[in-house]
Amino acid sequence: MENQSSISEFFLRGISKSPEQQQLLFGIFLCMYLVTLTGNVLIILAIVSDPHLHTPMYFFLANLSFVDMGLTSSTVTKMLVNIQTRHCTISYTGCLSQMYFFLMFGDLDSFFLAVMAYDRYVAICRPLYYSTVMSPQVCALMLALCWVLTNTVALTHTLLMARLSFCVVGEIAHFFCDILPVLKLSCSDTHMNELMVFALGGTVLIVPFLCIVISYVHIICALLRVRAPGGRGKAFSTCSSHLCVVCMFYGTLFSAYLCPPSVASEEKDIAAAATYTIATPMLNPFIYSLRNKDMKGGLKRLLSHRRIFSS
């Protein structure tokens, strides 16, 4: 598709226009970004180094941690650079690239949460078939399928955006290049783009969410039938951390993209986007390490090994 844009850059509004607030936000978001990277790297290292964690659930958790780092990096780094340099612009090419990676990592987050819910469903409701249904080959196939689907969706949106014309250097009412704020600046017909946002965007959000809901409905029904003392709590403890992450991620995501126009506002959209692109990836390692005994043990063994090695 031929690039028909006659401009070379956009302005990003950011989260605040006040210089004092910007410097405060720079420190806050920089700390959150560093905590996100550190926490998710520790999760990945603990899973890779501990044989006890070489299971399908933790295989996808390691991938989720990698995707969380990518999602945060695709949006926060440019915002931090703009605040520090006080040059709140992004090039046309940079905007399309940021949009592509944000969509890809955001959709991957949704898909991996659905796959992890399915893993818990099989483990609790179909335990005798778990080793067959969640074999290494099946896990690799599901991982590849997630990457292919999300890259296809992200590339479709990016190419459709690249065919639009932007006649004036406009201000994107966001702190990164999200689809809808960028579409508002186009002087071309955007009906095709809006249709694809509704069709593809709705599909990659609603379908994984429905898979999660259906999986947990079956899990809860199975747990209600458990009569062994302590068996119900032990089984649900493996799902509680995942359920917390799902509620945080989809709660903020739906508030940003599925609110009616009468309720939605640019400020609320920015706040919701900051939550699921910055706060949620930062909190995920804490949730999984504090509410999961296996992860706690893996992290303790990882840190103890590193202390022994350093000494």
Side-chain angles (χ1 to χ4, degrees), residues 144-164:
L145 189 61
C146 289
W147 278 95
V148 170
L149 289 175
T150 54
N151 272 275
T152 301
V153 172
L155 190 60
T156 300
H157 285 305
T158 306
L159 292 177
L160 286 173
M161 189 68 70
R163 58 182 279 276
L164 299 179

Side-chain angles (χ1 to χ4, degrees), residues 112-306:
F112 284 155
L113 288 174
V115 171
M116 292 171 71
Y118 176 71
D119 170 82
R120 292 298 84 203
Y121 158 75
V122 177
I124 294 173
C125 301
R126 299 287 186 270
L128 297 179
Y129 299 97
Y130 185 77
S131 59
T132 303
V133 176
M134 299 301 293
S135 66
Q137 295 80 5
V138 174
C139 290
L141 181 62
M142 287 194 290
L143 179 66
L145 189 61
C146 289
W147 278 95
V148 170
L149 289 175
T150 54
N151 272 275
T152 301
V153 172
L155 190 60
T156 300
H157 285 305
T158 306
L159 292 177
L160 286 173
M161 189 68 70
R163 58 182 279 276
L164 299 179
S165 296
F166 297 88
C167 306
V168 295
V169 179
E171 181 185 67
I172 299 172
H174 220 306
F175 65 92
F176 65 92
C177 288
D178 201 358
I179 293 182
L180 296 180
V182 176
L183 282 179
K184 293 178 181 178
L185 303 180
S186 175
C187 52
S188 303
D189 182 9
T190 61
H191 284 92
M192 177 60 72
N193 297 72
E194 293 167 359
L195 177 64
M196 295 306 290
V197 168
F198 177 77
L200 293 180
T203 301
V204 298
L205 286 181
I206 300 299
V207 171
F209 179 72
L210 288 178
C211 291
I212 293 171
V213 171
I214 293 171
S215 296
Y216 273 104
V217 167
H218 284 283
I219 288 171
I220 291 171
C221 291
L223 293 180
L224 291 176
R225 294 193 295 267
V226 174
R227 302 197 179 276
R232 187 180 301 174
K234 183 179 179 181
F236 190 74
S237 67
T238 63
C239 305
S240 58
S241 54
H242 177 258
L243 202 54
C244 288
V245 172
V246 168
C247 291
M248 278 199 312
F249 180 77
Y250 279 101
T252 53
L253 206 61
F254 286 157
S255 67
Y257 291 103
L258 298 183
C259 276
S262 58
V263 177
S265 67
E266 291 176 354
E267 291 75 16
K268 288 182 180 179
D269 290 346
I270 290 174
T275 302
Y276 71 78
T277 60
I278 304 172
T280 302
M282 180 191 71
L283 293 174
N284 283 358
F286 293 100
I287 294 173
Y288 279 109
S289 60
L290 293 177
R291 299 183 64 87
N292 188 300
K293 292 182 180 179
D294 294 334
M295 268 314 313
K296 258 197 255 187
L299 287 170
K300 286 180 181 178
R301 284 187 288 272
L302 172 68
L303 296 176
S304 63
H305 289 164
R306 292 198 171 275

